[in-house]
Amino acid sequence: MLARFPLSVASRPTVKPVRFPCVPCGRLLSVARRTIVSILTVMLVASPVGSAAHDIPNDVKVQAFVKPAGTQLQLLVRVPLAAMNEVDFPKRGPGYLDLAHADAALRHAATLWIADNVEIYEAGVRLADPRISDVRVSLPSDRSFVSYESALAHVTGPRLSDDMELYWNQQVLDAHFQYTIASDRSAFSIHPRLSRLGLRVVTTLQFIPPTGVSRAFEFHGNPGMVRLDPSWHQAALRFLEEGFLHILHGTDHLLFILCLIIPFRRLGPLILLVTSFTVAHSITLIASAFGFAPSALWFPPLVETLIAVSILYMALENIVGSNVQRRWMITFAFGLVHGFGFSFVLRETLQFAGSHLVTALLAFNVGVELGQLLVIVLLVPALGLLFRIVPERIGTIILSALVAHTAWHWMLERGERLSQFPWPTLDAGSMASAMRWLMVILSLGCVLVLVNAALRRMRWLPSDDKVPGELEVATPGSVQREHS
């Protein structure tokens, strides 16, 4: 019956859409939908299939040789294949590398991961893109990269057999690049950007100039522009900048300078204190560069602990009171310690000095002094302005107490780190070394006493022992002398 008499459009009942009376319910549905999508996305990204294809190795070692000869510059590089995870290498079976069909993928990996991330300059001009002479897969046990001759013979020699069953991510890639140059006597520089190969990338590079005197480099991550055979002024500019930036970035050295000049802001005492600190750290810096410092593992943490002790002592002395005569000698003693701290920075960077070791040392020292002068020029007027607002003695105590609190924690932390290293055994060699250092310390002590006596005779030091901040009691005799 209903089918024979359908309802007209006008007589059909109107169906009204259902509306949620509560607006927040719609928002909850939207939030839930977005949450589900986010969870599915995270699960997809974190799945083993997705992560296996993009694993980044923790430690990657890159070996390289650079040799200019005639109008060609040869670059030999060895990189683990596991670091080139974005290249789809042909495989067969359970994951074996298909050596018979891998040449195109290997050349693509050499271009993408090496050639595109290594820039070589001749006389400051970047060379054109290199030609890939040869690429090949080598076993990780291969030792041909111990020298340039054996590495070149290996890369240009016979390849591994195609039927070898090698997992792709356990082998290394050897690549031979050739750059066109104007002369093999030019000044060459290299700018590698290989840090994306792994979390920690160490590159060992050997430069073999036509003179035959090779030069070895070892750097971490992206070292910036590396001049393979720098001139003396290039080495001087590089180490001048490093010394200047080191003193500005070293918080412990800055706090030491702050404690040094808080009670002595006049020109005369400043010259004496800064000169004392400069001469002292120059002695140990140069001695360390020429190999006279201990090479034991416990020595660097010992120096770092003593640097914290020096800051703590200076801060406490500012609180109880000091004078120029005592301060400049203590500054000299602590300057010797800070010089060893400066030398630790140079251990990895002196390789970039080329044959200009002395020039690099002097330039680094000058950079440190320029950084110190900049800090002093900024601190002296800042302290003078502060002591116009706060009484000088109170301000000195507050600032020194804050620095002492920081140095105390540094001393404890570094002392705990020092305690984890075994101390040297008392044998004949260590006793002889200790006696030599004791003689050096005694000699420096005698020099300090003689210099102090000479300064007093020349009246560069006050004959009294006044301590800044201490109250002076006027006696009738002193008042009478002042009036007379």
Side-chain angles (χ1 to χ4, degrees):
M1 295 292 291
L2 293 175
R4 294 177 59 186
F5 304 99
L7 295 175
S8 63
V9 177
S11 61
R12 291 178 183 175
T14 303
V15 180
K16 296 182 178 181
V18 180
R19 298 182 181 272
F20 290 98
C22 182
V23 177
C25 294
R27 295 179 180 174
L28 289 176
L29 290 176
S30 178
V31 171
R33 183 168 58 251
R34 290 197 300 267
T35 303
I36 293 174
V37 172
S38 301
I39 292 175
L40 292 177
T41 304
V42 172
M43 292 176 62
L44 180 62
V45 173
S47 62
V49 177
S51 61
H54 299 284
D55 283 341
I56 300 178
N58 291 328
D59 299 289
V60 174
K61 182 178 181 180
V62 180
Q63 297 173 270
F65 293 94
V66 176
K67 181 177 181 179
T71 59
Q72 296 289 323
L73 183 141
Q74 315 294 330
L75 173 63
L76 301 176
V77 184
R78 168 170 285 184
V79 182
L81 279 177
M84 305 177 179
N85 48 35
E86 293 183 4
V87 178
D88 187 14
F89 296 102
K91 307 175 187 65
R92 57 183 176 85
Y96 298 144
L97 185 64
D98 189 357
L99 294 175
H101 304 89
D103 190 71
L106 294 176
R107 288 179 176 273
H108 175 61
T111 302
L112 179 65
W113 288 93
I114 302 175
D116 291 349
N117 293 285
V118 174
E119 300 174 358
I120 297 183
Y121 295 80
E122 180 182 8
V125 179
R126 182 180 176 182
L127 298 178
D129 293 338
R131 180 179 68 87
I132 301 179
S133 176
D134 206 343
V135 291
R136 65 190 53 226
V137 175
S138 300
L139 300 176
S141 59
D142 179 76
R143 294 292 180 265
S144 59
F145 266 65
V146 294
S147 67
Y148 172 79
E149 290 75 15
S150 60
L152 182 62
H154 171 74
V155 174
T156 57
R159 303 190 178 190
L160 297 176
S161 177
D162 292 342
D163 58 356
M164 294 189 68
E165 297 179 345
L166 304 174
Y167 287 102
W168 74 272
N169 56 357
Q170 297 179 2
Q171 316 310 317
V172 294
L173 168 67
D174 296 338
H176 180 200
F177 303 92
Q178 290 183 333
Y179 295 81
T180 301
I181 59 177
S183 171
D184 55 7
R185 301 284 176 173
S186 302
F188 294 97
S189 305
I190 187 170
H191 187 187
R193 298 187 304 272
L194 302 175
S195 61
R196 57 193 295 259
L197 290 171
L199 298 180
R200 292 177 296 273
V201 179
V202 178
T203 303
T204 58
L205 184 146
Q206 188 172 358
F207 175 63
I208 304 124
T211 57
V213 181
S214 62
R215 183 167 292 115
F217 300 88
E218 180 176 310
F219 40 81
H220 302 264
N222 300 334
M225 182 70 72
V226 177
R227 303 187 184 276
L228 300 178
D229 191 13
S231 60
W232 70 269
H233 65 272
Q234 291 173 338
L237 288 177
R238 179 187 181 100
F239 283 88
L240 181 71
E241 179 184 2
E242 288 193 5
F244 183 79
L245 294 179
H246 175 68
I247 198 68
L248 297 183
H249 294 164
T251 309
D252 45 3
H253 301 306
L254 293 178
L255 289 183
F256 182 83
I257 295 175
L258 174 63
C259 289
L260 187 66
I261 67 173
I262 284 179
F264 306 102
R265 300 185 306 280
R266 291 176 301 172
L267 182 61
L270 274 179
I271 292 177
L272 181 59
L273 295 177
V274 172
T275 303
S276 174
F277 184 68
T278 300
V279 173
H281 74 65
S282 299
I283 292 174
T284 49
L285 175 63
I286 296 175
S288 299
F290 284 97
F292 292 104
S295 59
L297 295 177
W298 51 265
F299 187 64
L302 173 63
V303 171
E304 296 297 327
T305 304
L306 292 178
I307 289 177
V309 172
S310 70
I311 301 171
L312 178 62
Y313 177 87
M314 286 292 188
L316 295 178
E317 191 180 67
N318 288 344
I319 294 175
V320 301
S322 179
N323 59 38
V324 180
Q325 180 178 350
R326 183 168 66 243
R327 174 60 64 94
W328 84 265
M329 290 189 291
I330 296 174
T331 300
F332 185 89
F334 286 143
L336 298 174
V337 178
H338 283 255
F340 286 121
F342 293 149
S343 68
F344 300 149
V345 182
L346 285 177
R347 284 186 177 180
E348 295 185 0
T349 57
L350 272 181
Q351 58 183 330
F352 304 123
S355 58
H356 312 287
L357 176 62
V358 177
T359 302
L361 287 174
L362 295 177
F364 183 85
N365 220 15
V366 172
V368 169
E369 305 316 317
L370 292 177
Q372 289 179 174
L373 290 177
L374 176 62
V375 173
I376 292 173
V377 168
L378 296 177
L379 281 179
V380 169
L383 290 173
L385 181 61
L386 175 65
F387 293 152
R388 289 183 181 180
I389 303 173
V390 181
E392 181 173 351
R393 187 58 184 157
I394 297 177
T396 299
I397 293 176
I398 294 176
L399 287 177
S400 301
L402 293 175
V403 174
H405 175 76
T406 303
W408 173 261
H409 288 285
W410 283 351
M411 183 184 66
L412 295 180
E413 294 173 0
R414 298 175 183 182
E416 182 180 359
R417 193 180 310 123
L418 174 63
S419 63
Q420 299 174 1
F421 290 87
W423 287 93
T425 56
L426 294 177
D427 52 7
S430 61
M431 291 295 294
S433 178
M435 290 299 297
R436 286 195 297 268
W437 279 103
L438 182 60
M439 293 297 294
V440 171
I441 293 173
L442 291 177
S443 301
L444 290 176
C446 294
V447 171
L448 285 180
V449 173
L450 295 176
V451 172
N452 186 68
L455 291 176
R456 291 178 67 90
R457 284 197 302 268
M458 292 185 294
R459 297 183 179 180
W460 286 10
L461 289 177
S463 58
D464 55 1
D465 197 24
K466 294 180 181 178
V467 178
E470 287 188 349
L471 296 178
E472 299 181 9
V473 180
T475 60
S478 63
V479 174
Q480 184 177 0
R481 286 193 301 269
E482 289 180 1
H483 286 289
S484 61

mmCIF file of all heavy atoms in Angstrom, residues 34-74:
data_model
loop_
_atom_site.group_PDB
_atom_site.id
_atom_site.type_symbol
_atom_site.label_atom_id
_atom_site.label_comp_id
_atom_site.label_asym_id
_atom_site.label_seq_id
_atom_site.Cartn_x
_atom_site.Cartn_y
_atom_site.Cartn_z
ATOM 1 N N ARG A 34 43.293 14.312 15.664
ATOM 2 C CA ARG A 34 44.686 14.723 15.466
ATOM 3 C C ARG A 34 45.644 13.886 16.300
ATOM 4 O O ARG A 34 46.759 13.578 15.874
ATOM 5 C CB ARG A 34 44.849 16.205 15.817
ATOM 6 C CG ARG A 34 44.181 17.144 14.832
ATOM 7 C CD ARG A 34 44.715 18.559 14.991
ATOM 8 N NE ARG A 34 44.485 19.087 16.320
ATOM 9 C CZ ARG A 34 43.415 19.807 16.656
ATOM 10 N NH1 ARG A 34 42.500 20.083 15.738
ATOM 11 N NH2 ARG A 34 43.269 20.259 17.879
ATOM 12 N N THR A 35 45.232 13.502 17.490
ATOM 13 C CA THR A 35 46.084 12.677 18.356
ATOM 14 C C THR A 35 46.324 11.314 17.742
ATOM 15 O O THR A 35 47.442 10.786 17.749
ATOM 16 C CB THR A 35 45.441 12.532 19.740
ATOM 17 O OG1 THR A 35 45.209 13.826 20.300
ATOM 18 C CG2 THR A 35 46.349 11.731 20.662
ATOM 19 N N ILE A 36 45.263 10.720 17.166
ATOM 20 C CA ILE A 36 45.413 9.406 16.550
ATOM 21 C C ILE A 36 46.362 9.476 15.357
ATOM 22 O O ILE A 36 47.227 8.615 15.158
ATOM 23 C CB ILE A 36 44.033 8.867 16.131
ATOM 24 C CG1 ILE A 36 43.182 8.589 17.386
ATOM 25 C CG2 ILE A 36 44.184 7.596 15.292
ATOM 26 C CD1 ILE A 36 41.765 8.191 17.066
ATOM 27 N N VAL A 37 46.226 10.528 14.554
ATOM 28 C CA VAL A 37 47.110 10.696 13.402
ATOM 29 C C VAL A 37 48.563 10.864 13.855
ATOM 30 O O VAL A 37 49.492 10.295 13.276
ATOM 31 C CB VAL A 37 46.651 11.894 12.552
ATOM 32 C CG1 VAL A 37 47.676 12.190 11.460
ATOM 33 C CG2 VAL A 37 45.297 11.623 11.936
ATOM 34 N N SER A 38 48.760 11.635 14.923
ATOM 35 C CA SER A 38 50.124 11.838 15.423
ATOM 36 C C SER A 38 50.734 10.544 15.932
ATOM 37 O O SER A 38 51.908 10.251 15.686
ATOM 38 C CB SER A 38 50.130 12.899 16.532
ATOM 39 O OG SER A 38 49.620 14.122 16.056
ATOM 40 N N ILE A 39 49.931 9.746 16.641
ATOM 41 C CA ILE A 39 50.434 8.477 17.179
ATOM 42 C C ILE A 39 50.811 7.537 16.046
ATOM 43 O O ILE A 39 51.865 6.882 16.067
ATOM 44 C CB ILE A 39 49.375 7.833 18.110
ATOM 45 C CG1 ILE A 39 49.211 8.699 19.372
ATOM 46 C CG2 ILE A 39 49.788 6.411 18.475
ATOM 47 C CD1 ILE A 39 48.111 8.209 20.282
ATOM 48 N N LEU A 40 49.971 7.459 15.020
ATOM 49 C CA LEU A 40 50.281 6.598 13.879
ATOM 50 C C LEU A 40 51.546 7.065 13.167
ATOM 51 O O LEU A 40 52.366 6.249 12.727
ATOM 52 C CB LEU A 40 49.094 6.584 12.908
ATOM 53 C CG LEU A 40 47.825 5.886 13.431
ATOM 54 C CD1 LEU A 40 46.710 6.004 12.397
ATOM 55 C CD2 LEU A 40 48.108 4.418 13.734
ATOM 56 N N THR A 41 51.721 8.388 13.054
ATOM 57 C CA THR A 41 52.924 8.918 12.408
ATOM 58 C C THR A 41 54.174 8.561 13.185
ATOM 59 O O THR A 41 55.191 8.146 12.620
ATOM 60 C CB THR A 41 52.814 10.442 12.258
ATOM 61 O OG1 THR A 41 51.628 10.751 11.530
ATOM 62 C CG2 THR A 41 54.033 11.006 11.529
ATOM 63 N N VAL A 42 54.130 8.732 14.528
ATOM 64 C CA VAL A 42 55.275 8.390 15.366
ATOM 65 C C VAL A 42 55.597 6.909 15.278
ATOM 66 O O VAL A 42 56.760 6.491 15.193
ATOM 67 C CB VAL A 42 55.017 8.819 16.820
ATOM 68 C CG1 VAL A 42 56.112 8.291 17.739
ATOM 69 C CG2 VAL A 42 54.939 10.336 16.920
ATOM 70 N N MET A 43 54.548 6.071 15.273
ATOM 71 C CA MET A 43 54.776 4.625 15.170
ATOM 72 C C MET A 43 55.413 4.263 13.843
ATOM 73 O O MET A 43 56.285 3.393 13.761
ATOM 74 C CB MET A 43 53.451 3.880 15.351
ATOM 75 C CG MET A 43 52.869 3.975 16.759
ATOM 76 S SD MET A 43 51.257 3.181 16.890
ATOM 77 C CE MET A 43 51.682 1.491 16.490
ATOM 78 N N LEU A 44 54.999 4.958 12.779
ATOM 79 C CA LEU A 44 55.573 4.669 11.474
ATOM 80 C C LEU A 44 57.032 5.081 11.402
ATOM 81 O O LEU A 44 57.885 4.356 10.886
ATOM 82 C CB LEU A 44 54.761 5.390 10.394
ATOM 83 C CG LEU A 44 55.241 5.192 8.948
ATOM 84 C CD1 LEU A 44 55.149 3.721 8.562
ATOM 85 C CD2 LEU A 44 54.421 6.054 7.987
ATOM 86 N N VAL A 45 57.352 6.272 11.950
ATOM 87 C CA VAL A 45 58.732 6.753 11.911
ATOM 88 C C VAL A 45 59.635 5.913 12.799
ATOM 89 O O VAL A 45 60.786 5.624 12.469
ATOM 90 C CB VAL A 45 58.793 8.236 12.325
ATOM 91 C CG1 VAL A 45 60.233 8.695 12.459
ATOM 92 C CG2 VAL A 45 58.047 9.095 11.313
ATOM 93 N N ALA A 46 59.110 5.517 13.966
ATOM 94 C CA ALA A 46 59.921 4.765 14.926
ATOM 95 C C ALA A 46 59.951 3.276 14.669
ATOM 96 O O ALA A 46 60.542 2.527 15.424
ATOM 97 C CB ALA A 46 59.395 5.016 16.351
ATOM 98 N N SER A 47 59.304 2.830 13.612
ATOM 99 C CA SER A 47 59.284 1.402 13.319
ATOM 100 C C SER A 47 60.672 0.934 12.929
ATOM 101 O O SER A 47 61.491 1.694 12.402
ATOM 102 C CB SER A 47 58.312 1.113 12.176
ATOM 103 O OG SER A 47 58.716 1.771 10.996
ATOM 104 N N PRO A 48 61.015 -0.351 13.143
ATOM 105 C CA PRO A 48 62.346 -0.840 12.820
ATOM 106 C C PRO A 48 62.694 -0.695 11.357
ATOM 107 O O PRO A 48 63.834 -0.472 10.992
ATOM 108 C CB PRO A 48 62.304 -2.318 13.260
ATOM 109 C CG PRO A 48 61.202 -2.384 14.276
ATOM 110 C CD PRO A 48 60.203 -1.357 13.852
ATOM 111 N N VAL A 49 61.678 -0.807 10.469
ATOM 112 C CA VAL A 49 61.969 -0.709 9.042
ATOM 113 C C VAL A 49 62.436 0.690 8.691
ATOM 114 O O VAL A 49 63.375 0.904 7.943
ATOM 115 C CB VAL A 49 60.710 -1.090 8.228
ATOM 116 C CG1 VAL A 49 60.985 -0.915 6.742
ATOM 117 C CG2 VAL A 49 60.301 -2.518 8.531
ATOM 118 N N GLY A 50 61.796 1.713 9.278
ATOM 119 C CA GLY A 50 62.178 3.091 8.976
ATOM 120 C C GLY A 50 63.485 3.478 9.590
ATOM 121 O O GLY A 50 64.259 4.221 9.005
ATOM 122 N N SER A 51 63.765 2.990 10.798
ATOM 123 C CA SER A 51 64.996 3.406 11.456
ATOM 124 C C SER A 51 66.214 2.692 10.918
ATOM 125 O O SER A 51 67.310 3.230 10.921
ATOM 126 C CB SER A 51 64.884 3.154 12.974
ATOM 127 O OG SER A 51 64.704 1.769 13.205
ATOM 128 N N ALA A 52 66.015 1.478 10.427
ATOM 129 C CA ALA A 52 67.169 0.733 9.937
ATOM 130 C C ALA A 52 67.783 1.374 8.724
ATOM 131 O O ALA A 52 68.986 1.286 8.487
ATOM 132 C CB ALA A 52 66.761 -0.704 9.624
ATOM 133 N N ALA A 53 66.940 2.076 7.943
ATOM 134 C CA ALA A 53 67.457 2.670 6.719
ATOM 135 C C ALA A 53 68.169 3.981 6.973
ATOM 136 O O ALA A 53 68.835 4.488 6.087
ATOM 137 C CB ALA A 53 66.309 2.878 5.738
ATOM 138 N N HIS A 54 68.044 4.561 8.148
ATOM 139 C CA HIS A 54 68.612 5.873 8.396
ATOM 140 C C HIS A 54 69.430 5.900 9.678
ATOM 141 O O HIS A 54 69.508 6.927 10.330
ATOM 142 C CB HIS A 54 67.504 6.924 8.451
ATOM 143 C CG HIS A 54 66.722 7.041 7.174
ATOM 144 N ND1 HIS A 54 67.208 7.673 6.061
ATOM 145 C CD2 HIS A 54 65.496 6.575 6.847
ATOM 146 C CE1 HIS A 54 66.299 7.619 5.085
ATOM 147 N NE2 HIS A 54 65.259 6.953 5.531
ATOM 148 N N ASP A 55 70.000 4.754 10.086
ATOM 149 C CA ASP A 55 70.852 4.736 11.263
ATOM 150 C C ASP A 55 72.114 5.536 10.997
ATOM 151 O O ASP A 55 72.739 5.411 9.941
ATOM 152 C CB ASP A 55 71.227 3.294 11.624
ATOM 153 C CG ASP A 55 70.068 2.572 12.306
ATOM 154 O OD1 ASP A 55 69.171 3.267 12.804
ATOM 155 O OD2 ASP A 55 70.067 1.326 12.309
ATOM 156 N N ILE A 56 72.486 6.383 11.962
ATOM 157 C CA ILE A 56 73.696 7.198 11.852
ATOM 158 C C ILE A 56 74.756 6.574 12.739
ATOM 159 O O ILE A 56 74.535 6.370 13.934
ATOM 160 C CB ILE A 56 73.423 8.652 12.275
ATOM 161 C CG1 ILE A 56 72.349 9.269 11.382
ATOM 162 C CG2 ILE A 56 74.695 9.473 12.206
ATOM 163 C CD1 ILE A 56 71.982 10.681 11.764
ATOM 164 N N PRO A 57 75.915 6.240 12.199
ATOM 165 C CA PRO A 57 76.955 5.623 13.034
ATOM 166 C C PRO A 57 77.426 6.576 14.122
ATOM 167 O O PRO A 57 77.411 7.802 13.966
ATOM 168 C CB PRO A 57 78.076 5.336 12.018
ATOM 169 C CG PRO A 57 77.442 5.399 10.673
ATOM 170 C CD PRO A 57 76.299 6.349 10.793
ATOM 171 N N ASN A 58 77.841 5.994 15.217
ATOM 172 C CA ASN A 58 78.335 6.809 16.329
ATOM 173 C C ASN A 58 79.724 7.362 16.033
ATOM 174 O O ASN A 58 79.965 8.569 16.152
ATOM 175 C CB ASN A 58 78.363 5.978 17.611
ATOM 176 C CG ASN A 58 76.978 5.645 18.113
ATOM 177 O OD1 ASN A 58 76.056 6.422 17.937
ATOM 178 N ND2 ASN A 58 76.821 4.482 18.730
ATOM 179 N N ASP A 59 80.650 6.507 15.669
ATOM 180 C CA ASP A 59 82.033 6.905 15.433
ATOM 181 C C ASP A 59 82.425 6.538 14.006
ATOM 182 O O ASP A 59 82.286 5.384 13.597
ATOM 183 C CB ASP A 59 82.982 6.219 16.430
ATOM 184 C CG ASP A 59 82.662 6.598 17.865
ATOM 185 O OD1 ASP A 59 82.933 7.750 18.229
ATOM 186 O OD2 ASP A 59 82.138 5.748 18.589
ATOM 187 N N VAL A 60 82.912 7.520 13.291
ATOM 188 C CA VAL A 60 83.334 7.324 11.903
ATOM 189 C C VAL A 60 84.753 7.853 11.764
ATOM 190 O O VAL A 60 85.046 8.988 12.165
ATOM 191 C CB VAL A 60 82.389 8.048 10.916
ATOM 192 C CG1 VAL A 60 82.931 7.957 9.494
ATOM 193 C CG2 VAL A 60 80.989 7.459 10.987
ATOM 194 N N LYS A 61 85.620 7.035 11.178
ATOM 195 C CA LYS A 61 86.994 7.447 10.914
ATOM 196 C C LYS A 61 87.197 7.570 9.417
ATOM 197 O O LYS A 61 86.938 6.632 8.663
ATOM 198 C CB LYS A 61 87.995 6.451 11.502
ATOM 199 C CG LYS A 61 89.446 6.862 11.290
ATOM 200 C CD LYS A 61 90.412 5.873 11.926
ATOM 201 C CE LYS A 61 91.862 6.330 11.705
ATOM 202 N NZ LYS A 61 92.823 5.373 12.314
ATOM 203 N N VAL A 62 87.662 8.735 8.983
ATOM 204 C CA VAL A 62 87.925 9.014 7.575
ATOM 205 C C VAL A 62 89.429 9.160 7.395
ATOM 206 O O VAL A 62 90.089 9.864 8.164
ATOM 207 C CB VAL A 62 87.190 10.301 7.114
ATOM 208 C CG1 VAL A 62 87.479 10.578 5.643
ATOM 209 C CG2 VAL A 62 85.691 10.175 7.345
ATOM 210 N N GLN A 63 89.963 8.488 6.383
ATOM 211 C CA GLN A 63 91.381 8.589 6.046
ATOM 212 C C GLN A 63 91.513 9.232 4.673
ATOM 213 O O GLN A 63 90.778 8.893 3.744
ATOM 214 C CB GLN A 63 92.047 7.208 6.049
ATOM 215 C CG GLN A 63 92.028 6.526 7.405
ATOM 216 C CD GLN A 63 92.539 5.096 7.325
ATOM 217 O OE1 GLN A 63 91.779 4.170 7.106
ATOM 218 N NE2 GLN A 63 93.850 4.930 7.502
ATOM 219 N N ALA A 64 92.468 10.145 4.535
ATOM 220 C CA ALA A 64 92.610 10.878 3.280
ATOM 221 C C ALA A 64 94.074 11.220 3.024
ATOM 222 O O ALA A 64 94.864 11.418 3.970
ATOM 223 C CB ALA A 64 91.768 12.146 3.295
ATOM 224 N N PHE A 65 94.413 11.286 1.747
ATOM 225 C CA PHE A 65 95.727 11.736 1.289
ATOM 226 C C PHE A 65 95.518 12.807 0.223
ATOM 227 O O PHE A 65 94.638 12.662 -0.642
ATOM 228 C CB PHE A 65 96.541 10.584 0.682
ATOM 229 C CG PHE A 65 96.947 9.532 1.668
ATOM 230 C CD1 PHE A 65 96.165 8.404 1.858
ATOM 231 C CD2 PHE A 65 98.110 9.661 2.407
ATOM 232 C CE1 PHE A 65 96.534 7.423 2.761
ATOM 233 C CE2 PHE A 65 98.496 8.690 3.320
ATOM 234 C CZ PHE A 65 97.695 7.571 3.498
ATOM 235 N N VAL A 66 96.306 13.867 0.286
ATOM 236 C CA VAL A 66 96.272 14.933 -0.719
ATOM 237 C C VAL A 66 97.691 15.101 -1.248
ATOM 238 O O VAL A 66 98.626 15.343 -0.480
ATOM 239 C CB VAL A 66 95.760 16.262 -0.127
ATOM 240 C CG1 VAL A 66 95.827 17.368 -1.167
ATOM 241 C CG2 VAL A 66 94.344 16.102 0.391
ATOM 242 N N LYS A 67 97.825 14.966 -2.598
ATOM 243 C CA LYS A 67 99.145 15.107 -3.196
ATOM 244 C C LYS A 67 99.027 15.847 -4.526
ATOM 245 O O LYS A 67 98.436 15.338 -5.478
ATOM 246 C CB LYS A 67 99.795 13.748 -3.429
ATOM 247 C CG LYS A 67 101.189 13.867 -4.028
ATOM 248 C CD LYS A 67 101.870 12.538 -4.189
ATOM 249 C CE LYS A 67 103.278 12.737 -4.763
ATOM 250 N NZ LYS A 67 104.007 11.466 -4.918
ATOM 251 N N PRO A 68 99.584 17.067 -4.604
ATOM 252 C CA PRO A 68 99.645 17.749 -5.906
ATOM 253 C C PRO A 68 100.874 17.284 -6.678
ATOM 254 O O PRO A 68 101.973 17.156 -6.126
ATOM 255 C CB PRO A 68 99.749 19.222 -5.515
ATOM 256 C CG PRO A 68 100.397 19.206 -4.166
ATOM 257 C CD PRO A 68 100.009 17.915 -3.495
ATOM 258 N N ALA A 69 100.668 17.032 -7.964
ATOM 259 C CA ALA A 69 101.767 16.590 -8.817
ATOM 260 C C ALA A 69 101.502 17.086 -10.235
ATOM 261 O O ALA A 69 100.516 16.687 -10.861
ATOM 262 C CB ALA A 69 101.902 15.064 -8.804
ATOM 263 N N GLY A 70 102.362 17.971 -10.715
ATOM 264 C CA GLY A 70 102.166 18.521 -12.044
ATOM 265 C C GLY A 70 100.937 19.409 -12.104
ATOM 266 O O GLY A 70 100.786 20.359 -11.333
ATOM 267 N N THR A 71 100.038 19.062 -13.012
ATOM 268 C CA THR A 71 98.780 19.819 -13.162
ATOM 269 C C THR A 71 97.597 19.060 -12.581
ATOM 270 O O THR A 71 96.450 19.390 -12.871
ATOM 271 C CB THR A 71 98.515 20.126 -14.638
ATOM 272 O OG1 THR A 71 98.438 18.889 -15.376
ATOM 273 C CG2 THR A 71 99.606 21.009 -15.207
ATOM 274 N N GLN A 72 97.859 18.051 -11.774
ATOM 275 C CA GLN A 72 96.801 17.256 -11.164
ATOM 276 C C GLN A 72 97.015 17.183 -9.655
ATOM 277 O O GLN A 72 98.151 17.070 -9.190
ATOM 278 C CB GLN A 72 96.760 15.830 -11.737
ATOM 279 C CG GLN A 72 96.412 15.756 -13.218
ATOM 280 C CD GLN A 72 94.957 16.094 -13.467
ATOM 281 O OE1 GLN A 72 94.078 15.752 -12.680
ATOM 282 N NE2 GLN A 72 94.696 16.776 -14.583
ATOM 283 N N LEU A 73 95.930 17.258 -8.930
ATOM 284 C CA LEU A 73 95.966 17.052 -7.478
ATOM 285 C C LEU A 73 95.194 15.774 -7.176
ATOM 286 O O LEU A 73 94.013 15.641 -7.547
ATOM 287 C CB LEU A 73 95.355 18.239 -6.736
ATOM 288 C CG LEU A 73 95.406 18.175 -5.206
ATOM 289 C CD1 LEU A 73 95.697 19.556 -4.616
ATOM 290 C CD2 LEU A 73 94.094 17.656 -4.616
ATOM 291 N N GLN A 74 95.863 14.849 -6.529
ATOM 292 C CA GLN A 74 95.263 13.556 -6.219
ATOM 293 C C GLN A 74 94.680 13.588 -4.803
ATOM 294 O O GLN A 74 95.355 14.021 -3.865
ATOM 295 C CB GLN A 74 96.304 12.441 -6.311
ATOM 296 C CG GLN A 74 97.196 12.506 -7.539
ATOM 297 C CD GLN A 74 96.444 12.283 -8.826
ATOM 298 O OE1 GLN A 74 95.429 11.574 -8.863
ATOM 299 N NE2 GLN A 74 96.923 12.882 -9.912
#
